Structure formats: C-alpha cells, structure tokens
Amino acid sequence: MTAALRLRGLVSLLFVLLVWETVSRLGIVPSRYFPGLAEIAAGAAEMIRNGELLAAEAMTLGRAVAGLVLATLIGIALAVLSDVSPFFERGFRTLTGLLQPIPPAAIVPLAIFGFGLGLKLYIFIIVMVTIWGPYLNGVAALRAVPVEQILNGRMMRMTPAQILWHIKLPAALPEIFAGIRYAAAVSLIAVVVSEMIAGRDGIGYLLVRKSFSIRIPETYALMFVTMVNGVLLAMLVNLGRRLLTGWHVKQMGYPA
Amino acid sequence: MQDGPILEARDLRKAFGAGAGRTTILDGISFSVREGDFVAVVGPSGCGKTTLLMALAGLQPADAGEVRFRGRQVLSPPQGLALVFQDYSRSLFPWKTALRNVTFAMRGPQGRAAKAARAEELLHAVGLGDALHKYPWQLSGGMQQRVAIARGLASESDLLLLDEPLAAVDAQTRADMQDLILDLAQRFRQTCLLVTHDVDEAVYMADKVVVLSKRPTRVATEITVGLGKARDQIATREHPDYLHARHEVLARIRAFRQPVAP
Amino acid sequence: MTPARAAALAAPLALPLALLALWALAAAQIASPLFPGPGKVLMAAVQNFWIILDQMGATLRRVLIGFVLAAATMVPLGILLGRVRLLGWLFEPVIDMLATLPPPAIVPLVMLFAGTGDAAKVTMIAFAAAIPILINTFEASKVRNAMTSLVARSLHLTRWETMLRVDLPAATPMILTGVRMAVAAALLVSVTSEILLATDGIGVFLQRQQENFQIAGGLAGILAIALTGLAVNTAILRIEKGVLFWHYRNDGQS
C-alpha cells in the first residue's frame, strides 16, 4: 500500500519535471522566465554554497515550530478554560469570530512597532493566526467526551483536575491534533508572509529579494523549498500525533 | 461484618422541570441490599431506572429522601461502590488496552506490578486471557462488556452496580454473560445490584427482585426468588419457583398499568 | 429567570467589553501615542472612514475578480481530474504538493511575469484561490457513493444526468468548504501584494499608517479587515446553509 503510494508519487513527480523541462526547452514561454531544471538546481546550489539558504531555512523553520508549539499550548489552555466556564466560552466565541479572519499580513506592519524584527514578532503573529485550529477543535472535542467516561472517573473518586488530565484530555487529543495539522500549514504561511513584509531574514525575505533582483532560477528554487517546508512541518506534527495518540492512529488504520 | 443492609434507599424522590412541565420521576423509592445479595431492580422503560442509579451512586442526588451506603449517607460517589455502564463502547477508554483499562480502576497504593497481576487475573476470569493487550475497539461488543465488568470488579468494591449491562449485546452472548456475571459474583463474593428492564433476566439472576412501577415510579413489590445460588439456563428457567416468581413480577407490573394504582 | 436570561444575553459581549475596558485603562495609564486606547482608534476610524472604505473597495474588487476567475476554472478542472482516473492518478501528488505552498509565496513569482499592476495582483489572487478550490473539488468528485450510483442506475439516468443531478449535489458541501478557504487565501494574498507592491488597497493604507506612526489608524484598518472578514464568512455560511439545507439536516446541525 505505502510502497505503491511512494511509487506513484515518484511517477507523478517525474511527470511534472518532464513537462516542466519540455516546456522550458520548447520555448513556448521565454526561457528567461521558465528556466530548465538544471538552471534551477544550479541556483539552489549557489544559495547553499554561500550559506544563505541554510541560514534562512533555520530561521524560518525555527520560527514556525516555536510559534506552532506555543499557539497549540495556548489554544488547548483556552479550550480547557472554555470547557470549564461556558460564560468564557460564549465571550471568547465573539472574539474568535472577529480575530480569526484577520490575515497575518495585515498585522505585520503594526506588530513591528510592538515587537521589533526579532523572534517575538513572528511568535506573536503565528499565535494570533494559528491558535484557532487547536482551540476550536479542543472545545468541540472536550464537549464530545462520552459522559460515561467522566462518570467512571467520578465513581473512582477522581478530582475534576484528575478527570481533565487522565480522561478528558486524552479523549480529546486526536481531534486536537487535527486542528494542529491545519495550524501547522497556517503557521508556515504566517512566517513566510511576515518575513516577506518585515524584510530582514528568513526564506520569505530571501524569496522577495531574489525576485526583486530578477534571480529567476533562485526564486523557483525557493518556492520549492517552501513547499518542502510544508511537508517537513506536516511530518513533525504527524510524529507528535503518533507519539501521543498512537492508539487512535492504529484505530483509524492509517498506513504506517 | 455488620448486620444492617449494605445499601439502603429511603423514600427517594426526584422531579425534573418546573411549573406545569414538572414531571415526577421517582415518587418515593425505598429498598435495601444486604451483603452477599444479588438484587435486581426491574422496571418498564422510562420509569427512571437511570435516575435512580445516579442517586444510588451519588452521582446526582435525589430531591428528597436519602441513600445510605454502609450506614453513611451518600452525597457523592463513596469509596467501595463501583458502576458498570450499559454502553461499554462509550465507557471504556479507547486509548488504553484492556489491561490498562482494568488497572486504571485500581486507585489503591499497591505497586504497578501487583496491579497488573491482579488485572491479568480478572481478565482471565472473564475469559479474556488472550486479549490483555488489545484495545477496546479491537474487541467485539460482548468482549468489551467483559472488560468493563473486570474493571468493575477491579476496584474490589463492596457493591457493584450494573446498569443494564447486557442490553446492547446479542441474545446468545447475553445468556453466556448472565452466567458469567453470576459465576463471578459467587467466586469473588461480590454483592451486586443489577438494573434491567428484562423481567426474565431479573428473575433468573437475582435473589431478590425489586419491581418498579411506571412513572411516577414507586416500588410495586419486592419478590424473593427462592432458587438458591446455582442457576442453569435450561433447568432454572423450567423450575416451578422461577416460573412462579416470573408470574408474580409480570402480574404486579400489569396491575400497575391499570388507571387506579393500589 | 430574568437575571439568568440577562446573563445569557450578556455572555457573548461581557468578555470582549471587559477586555476593551482593560485596554482603555492601560492606554490611559501609559498615555503614549504608540499605545492608543479604543477611543483614539474609534476616532481614527471615523476620520479615515472614507479612505478606509475606498481602499477596502479596491482590495475587495481584486479579491472578487481573482476569486471568480479561480472558481470558474478550477471547479470544472477539479471535476475533470476527479472523474478521469488516469488524470487524477497522475496529478494528485502534484496537487498535494501545491497544497503545501504558502499562498503569499506566489506574489514574488507572479510579479516576475506580470509586474506590479492590477492585472498582476488579480493573477496572484486567482492563483492563491485556485489551489483550495481545485483540491476540494477534486477530492469531492473522486468519492462516489456506491449506494446513490446504484439508485441512479436503477432510475436509468444517463451519465450526464447522474453527474449533474446526483454527484454534483453530493460534492457541493466539500466544494463550498474549499470556497471558504479560497476566500481567506485571496484576502491574505491581496493584502500581502498591496504591502509589497504599494499602489492602492487596504494593505497600502496599513503600510502608510505604520510609516507615519499612526498606530490608531493602523488598528482602525485592521478592525475594518476583521469586520469585512467576519461579514464575508457569515455570508458564505448563510449561502451554504441555504443551498445545503439537506446536508445540515442530515448531520443534525443548525
């Protein structure tokens, strides 16, 4: 099953590369704008040689992961608070409706005033746009814990805190992870767009700089890197999911 | 031990709603369970069996009347009282194996290894010796309910409450499980209170049957089943005493359906 | 009864109002132009009302054009890829890869091709909106319910009738989810492109406010975006519920 999937991914990738190379060679689009694969690879190699790619990559991934972890913890904490207090939940729902649709790009200019151009800026923006996935899924999942399980805890004379830690959170974790998976993608978007606008370092900044100085092969290479980053972050979330909710992964019968 | 009943319900009353929409569920329920007894509470659907059980377990107190467990008034779940729910698929923890589900119920100070050994023994006793490390969702419905029963026994409680534990399993499994529960109750000297809507099951399993009326619910009658502890799916069900008790219970339930209640 | 009902009515607003009060108090304490209170923000919003409306209009016009372009091309393409097995087999991994591309990363690339004008921005927006619509349409039309296709066959529907009257309605809930994601991506890319390629639009307004240290004005702009986003999301959900009443009934929601 997985072997077949991998083979298919490979075939598909080769197919795309082939089409790409053909289009580039045929000159339907000026090759200046549509460089061949070798040229793109050379651009990437050059950025690796002078060190700017890896430096930027470390910045971007570090920010995305740090922001995602913090946003997840805050999101879960808020979900627990909402579960304990319906009053808070109702009020926070209003805020969610208002804050959730704000695109990260809109926050960047003002946030630079408050947080400068360092890690704090990125963490703030990521948290602002990614807590919603873990939060909303957490609220729904905590509410959906079967009442029998909670009553079991009470019959065992567990305290409300013990019930939360030993019963409600484990039961809610699979759905919270679905929220985290979504948040991971959003987190990467937030980092790249912030780096593009803040303009000092990271993959987003590099992308803008290379494109403004018309380094076309490098621009394509960097876009490929941002896609790979998405895959890397998804793999990281998957690892966490396997570690913490392995039972659920098995129950759902996902391929290993 | 002590002479008094282990569990005693005195004039329990409970109503839901307010004003014109107020419905009385429990209209003064009194009965008791003595140590070593197997008592069945039987009543028609909707008569408030679950409400009664919640009050007995201390999960949701009644409006009036009191529950005494080992002589003490029950206001919250007391130590020494365990509950097995009807819906095993919702009451077992899907993130724990059968073994860990059982050890989780042992809240005592004994060590991890001792708990595991005891849980293993219990799972063997319910016939799940080869499913210790399976997750609930890898087991059939009947097997899941066996895990839940093993978990109920694990807390070594003085009284095991069983809330329609067999309502969701198929007929053949049901008969097997009835015998299994009876066997376990004897082997572990476990006092049990079984709540069910099935008159045959109540009479087949219990030493004493508490018959509830329709809503507003009262105790219609209490019937002692003189069959002794040993029961058999074929012989017991043909025994004159069984048939007599069954007749009594059904007659009392029917009598309560008449507009004028005694 | 009445106090309980009053509390229920107050609940959605109590927390936001408390935070607002806290903000006002903190702003009064700090008294710095870099930390304006809610009053100042409101004033800035009133002062800049027409500018914000105008700039927001420019942004939304591009979002709308880009979005319509994306929907018009990607829904048919998604259905095609979902229906023709070979194409789906070949392209699914590609689509999966495109899904991991952060939409704003398109901005620098399209700029290379199309420059910084209106057409370029619309192209960027269309591209960003295209991906979620394509993915969701593809996924939705790939799934075929064995039961409903049996029913369709027993009713002697032609292939086209089956597609139009059975499969398409079944696929709509998922396609509309893609539409909601597409609108968010379009708004994001629009604001990003405006900030980077300053010409007009709400992104440019935000950038100008920042450059002139007008924090209150900037917050007013963000508020405008938040309200717009809320309005658009609510509108789409309304439409979804109107079109898909059967879906929501089925789920026991709403």
Side-chain angles (χ1 to χ4, degrees):
Chain A
M1 178 67 190
T2 28
L5 270 179
R6 270 193 205 126
L7 178 72
R8 175 193 169 173
L10 202 66
V11 170
S12 171
L13 190 66
L14 285 176
F15 170 73
V16 175
L17 294 179
L18 189 75
V19 170
W20 184 290
E21 191 65 20
T22 315
V23 171
S24 168
R25 294 260 167 110
L26 284 178
I28 306 168
V29 187
S31 66
R32 185 170 134 73
Y33 292 120
F34 221 80
L37 297 174
E39 236 182 302
I40 294 175
E46 172 56 31
M47 285 191 292
I48 291 173
R49 200 174 316 118
N50 65 24
E52 56 185 357
L53 181 63
L54 292 182
E57 180 71 348
M59 282 285 181
T60 300
L61 279 183
R63 287 163 178 165
V65 172
L68 181 64
V69 169
L70 191 66
T72 300
L73 293 179
I74 296 176
I76 293 175
L78 287 170
V80 168
L81 197 58
S82 296
D83 189 55
V84 174
S85 157
F87 189 76
F88 176 85
E89 194 270 334
R90 210 46 209 89
F92 201 72
R93 207 189 302 170
T94 313
L95 283 182
T96 307
L98 202 61
L99 295 180
Q100 199 188 4
I102 301 179
I107 320 173
V108 180
L110 281 191
I112 290 174
F113 270 128
F115 301 97
L117 290 169
L119 183 63
K120 271 193 283 180
L121 170 75
Y122 297 97
I123 300 279
F124 172 74
I125 291 167
I126 294 173
V127 168
M128 280 293 288
V129 298
T130 57
I131 53 169
W132 315 111
Y135 169 72
L136 291 171
N137 280 29
V139 170
L142 286 173
R143 199 178 291 156
V145 176
V147 67
E148 285 88 346
Q149 294 184 3
I150 295 165
L151 292 181
N152 261 316
R154 286 185 57 197
M155 288 306 292
M156 293 171 201
R157 298 159 61 80
M158 294 168 83
T159 63
Q162 285 174 321
I163 290 179
L164 176 70
W165 184 251
H166 289 292
I167 297 178
K168 293 183 100 177
L169 278 179
L173 219 45
E175 205 176 328
I176 291 176
F177 259 100
I180 299 175
R181 210 151 32 150
Y182 172 69
V186 179
S187 152
L188 212 57
I189 294 173
V191 176
V192 169
V193 77
S194 306
E195 287 169 348
M196 287 168 74
I197 294 171
R200 203 174 65 163
D201 47 21
I203 293 288
Y205 162 70
L206 209 55
L207 190 61
V208 171
R209 208 187 67 195
K210 293 294 176 192
S211 120
F212 274 47
S213 49
I214 324 195
R215 304 285 287 251
I216 293 170
E218 280 88 344
T219 307
Y220 279 109
L222 285 168
M223 289 190 64
F224 185 73
V225 170
T226 61
M227 284 199 263
V228 171
N229 283 347
V231 176
L232 285 179
L233 212 58
M235 279 166 69
L236 197 69
V237 173
N238 226 7
L239 188 73
R241 194 172 68 108
R242 240 160 239 290
L243 282 176
L244 289 172
T245 66
W247 62 273
H248 189 253
V249 179
K250 259 190 251 163
Q251 182 180 11
M252 294 291 120
Y254 289 129
Chain B
M1 305 257 166
Q2 53 200 107
D3 277 349
I6 191 166
L7 180 84
E8 201 180 0
R10 284 187 200 150
D11 197 28
L12 292 179
R13 291 169 188 278
K14 181 92 184 171
F16 288 109
R22 189 172 173 83
T23 15
T24 302
I25 309 288
L26 305 181
D27 194 22
I29 305 260
S30 304
F31 69 93
S32 62
V33 180
R34 283 182 317 167
E35 183 121 37
D37 267 357
F38 198 115
V39 175
V41 173
V42 65
S45 344
C47 77
K49 292 191 291 285
T50 301
T51 310
L52 174 62
L53 206 68
M54 290 296 215
L56 294 178
L59 290 168
Q60 202 181 70
D63 299 337
E66 63 171 5
V67 177
R68 287 192 166 267
F69 179 67
R70 287 226 169 280
R72 285 210 195 132
Q73 194 178 355
V74 171
L75 297 168
S76 65
Q79 187 143 29
L81 192 61
L83 176 56
V84 175
F85 290 93
Q86 171 183 349
D87 197 343
Y88 44 80
S89 64
R90 287 163 59 85
S91 87
L92 291 175
F93 301 117
W95 59 92
K96 289 181 186 294
T97 58
L99 189 78
R100 305 271 316 264
N101 259 292
V102 175
T103 53
F104 187 68
M106 303 173 181
R107 309 303 288 174
Q110 67 268 48
R112 228 184 144 84
K115 284 183 182 176
R118 170 85 177 136
E120 218 168 297
E121 183 193 335
L122 285 167
L123 283 167
H124 273 286
V126 297
L128 288 177
D130 49 2
L132 301 176
H133 303 293
K134 290 235 165 83
Y135 287 96
W137 35 269
Q138 294 171 318
L139 303 172
S140 71
M143 290 163 96
Q144 288 181 40
Q145 193 58 296
R146 284 161 194 251
V147 177
I149 289 166
R151 184 171 67 178
L153 293 168
S155 43
E156 297 191 322
S157 46
D158 304 330
L159 176 61
L160 184 61
L161 301 175
L162 299 150
D163 179 15
E164 302 246 15
L166 307 180
V169 295
D170 62 274
Q172 182 53 49
T173 311
R174 191 167 181 148
D176 293 344
M177 297 278 290
Q178 286 168 354
D179 290 336
L180 176 73
I181 292 173
L182 284 175
D183 179 49
L184 291 168
Q186 281 224 56
R187 188 152 24 135
F188 295 99
R189 302 181 161 281
Q190 178 73 62
T191 314
C192 292
L193 177 73
L194 169 78
V195 172
T196 178
H197 67 268
D198 183 342
V199 174
D200 291 308
E201 182 170 282
V203 175
Y204 176 70
M205 293 181 75
D207 307 315
K208 181 168 92 174
V209 180
V210 177
V211 184
L212 299 181
S213 70
K214 275 175 61 169
R215 227 170 42 209
T217 308
R218 294 180 191 159
V219 175
T221 189
E222 272 187 28
I223 288 165
T224 307
V225 185
L227 283 164
K229 283 287 180 192
R231 312 275 168 114
D232 178 87
Q233 286 288 352
I234 297 168
T236 303
R237 287 184 193 276
E238 287 169 353
H239 197 281
D241 286 351
Y242 169 86
L243 294 172
H244 175 73
R246 183 175 178 275
H247 176 91
E248 283 283 288
V249 172
L250 287 171
R252 293 303 295 190
I253 288 181
R254 181 170 307 167
F256 252 94
R257 284 215 198 108
Q258 309 304 327
V260 185
Chain C
M1 195 67 204
T2 328
R5 181 174 291 177
L9 282 176
L13 292 177
L15 182 74
L17 286 178
L19 287 177
L20 212 61
L22 208 67
W23 174 20
L25 223 71
Q29 280 295 312
I30 294 171
S32 148
L34 290 181
F35 193 69
K40 289 241 177 67
V41 174
L42 193 67
M43 256 162 61
V46 171
Q47 259 171 26
N48 292 306
F49 183 77
W50 294 110
I51 306 176
I52 290 178
L53 204 67
D54 197 38
Q55 301 292 316
M56 193 63 118
T59 300
L60 286 181
R61 188 177 53 82
R62 283 192 292 263
V63 166
L64 186 69
I65 299 173
F67 171 77
V68 168
L69 274 176
T73 50
M74 289 306 129
V75 171
L77 183 62
I79 293 175
L80 184 74
L81 293 184
R83 288 281 137 168
V84 183
R85 287 249 172 99
L86 179 72
L87 290 181
W89 192 89
L90 218 47
F91 280 99
E92 188 170 4
V94 185
I95 298 175
D96 285 348
M97 259 210 104
L98 278 178
T100 64
L101 181 74
I106 292 161
V107 175
L109 183 77
V110 176
M111 196 197 72
L112 284 173
F113 285 92
T116 60
D118 234 30
K121 285 188 192 129
V122 168
T123 310
M124 294 165 191
I125 294 165
F127 205 112
I131 295 170
I133 297 180
L134 178 63
I135 291 170
N136 280 44
T137 313
F138 171 65
E139 291 293 335
S141 43
K142 206 171 55 175
V143 184
R144 245 163 297 190
N145 185 329
M147 196 60 213
T148 45
S149 35
L150 270 183
V151 171
R153 266 171 55 193
S154 74
L155 291 173
H156 300 288
L157 297 181
T158 66
R159 238 188 120 141
W160 274 109
E161 279 173 324
T162 311
M163 241 179 97
L164 248 123
R165 295 171 59 182
V166 179
D167 294 335
L168 196 63
T172 350
M174 204 166 168
I175 296 178
L176 283 182
T177 306
V179 163
R180 240 182 308 153
M181 290 164 73
V183 170
L187 197 59
L188 170 62
V189 167
S190 186
V191 173
T192 311
S193 68
E194 286 159 12
I195 293 177
L196 284 174
L197 319 170
T199 39
D200 62 350
I202 194 72
V204 172
F205 174 80
L206 288 172
Q207 187 75 353
R208 290 280 138 74
Q209 298 297 306
Q210 185 226 19
E211 283 161 8
N212 299 321
F213 295 93
Q214 296 296 319
I215 311 287
L219 284 173
I222 292 178
L223 183 68
I225 295 183
L227 289 174
T228 309
L230 183 64
V232 171
N233 277 353
T234 313
I236 296 176
L237 273 177
R238 277 275 163 79
I239 295 171
E240 252 186 82
K241 283 195 179 161
V243 176
L244 299 175
F245 59 93
W246 52 271
H247 178 66
Y248 286 94
R249 288 275 168 77
N250 239 354
D251 281 5
Q253 297 171 351
S254 161

